[in-house]
Amino acid sequence: LYSDLVTVRKLDAEATALQRQGELGIWASLLGQEAAQVGSGRALRPQDMAFPTYREHGVLYCRGIDPIMPLSLFRGVDQGAWDPIEFKVNMYTIVIGAQTLHATGYAMGITMDGKTGNADGEAVIAYFGDGATSQGDVNEAFVWSGVFHAPIVFFCQNNQYAISEPLERQTRIPLYRRAQGYGFPGVRIDGNDVLATFAVTRAALDQARNGQGPTLIEAYTYRMGAHTSSDDPTRYRIASEVESWKAKDPIARLKMFLVKQQLADDTFFA
């Protein structure tokens, strides 16, 4: 997991540099959200299907997709170059929240095909951000999944600011509590804790594949960089807030844990 986190962050930094050099038209950074993506990505079993937004570079990496693949999309030369069936990861979805409906339909199809109800069954995970919870598509997906008991996990990466609006402009209650109104459980996790993310996501997916219906996971994390390379986050947040979240850096936290548990040494980290 540590190796995944470090590799994904490096890939993100390289893509940001490519955009600055004019090689990419735009880039959506995952800086600060590595643990949420790696933890949930590694929690998926081979038969599970993932529906990403346009920022899940860490999930793609965990599913074995060449990390160069997403770059061509942001360069504007294709619409995503990987095979969704081979890797069990759908194409990136640019329209905010639309992938939750795609995922819900796919999950309902799994049930109709009789591929749920046992430990070897299939499950679906749909990724979206806190801003997407204000979209009608997401709420419709919640309704359909709840009513039809779809084998799906809704994985919300709450990075606090959506595109440029703070969380209080998105909701009056914690996002995970919304699930109750749609008839399925919701849970908030520390999205900067890769071990907690892995454990809770794996459990929710297993519940889904065993016929226990959907779950909403709110991964409470923070977008350290801009929404995309076209955004200026200094317009809507202060530097001291960013610094306070740097102290919760997912890579530094896991490194400290590995050292304290004597599970890794300087040679490994080097």
Side-chain angles (χ1 to χ4, degrees), residues 185-261:
V187 60
R188 174 185 280 181
I189 59 174
D190 183 346
N192 284 9
D193 184 339
V194 69
L195 297 175
T197 301
F198 174 87
V200 174
T201 307
R202 171 60 65 89
L205 286 166
D206 285 346
Q207 289 174 358
R209 81 179 77 257
N210 278 296
Q212 298 179 44
T215 300
L216 170 61
I217 297 176
E218 178 191 356
Y220 203 74
T221 182
Y222 193 80
R223 173 165 51 77
M224 295 301 299
H227 177 259
T228 69
S229 50
S230 298
D231 177 38
D232 177 13
T234 62
R235 295 183 299 108
Y236 51 82
R237 66 185 189 189
I238 58 177
S240 60
E241 178 184 284
V242 179
E243 289 298 317
S244 69
W245 276 90
K246 282 184 178 179
K248 306 171 185 176
D249 181 82
I251 296 180
R253 287 175 60 177
L254 186 57
K255 181 176 182 179
M256 186 179 299
F257 173 79
L258 293 172
V259 170
K260 285 186 175 182
Q261 297 295 318

Side-chain angles (χ1 to χ4, degrees), residues 12 18 24 39-40 115 162 265:
D12 184 67
L18 286 171
L24 304 181
S40 61
K115 295 180 179 179
D265 55 20

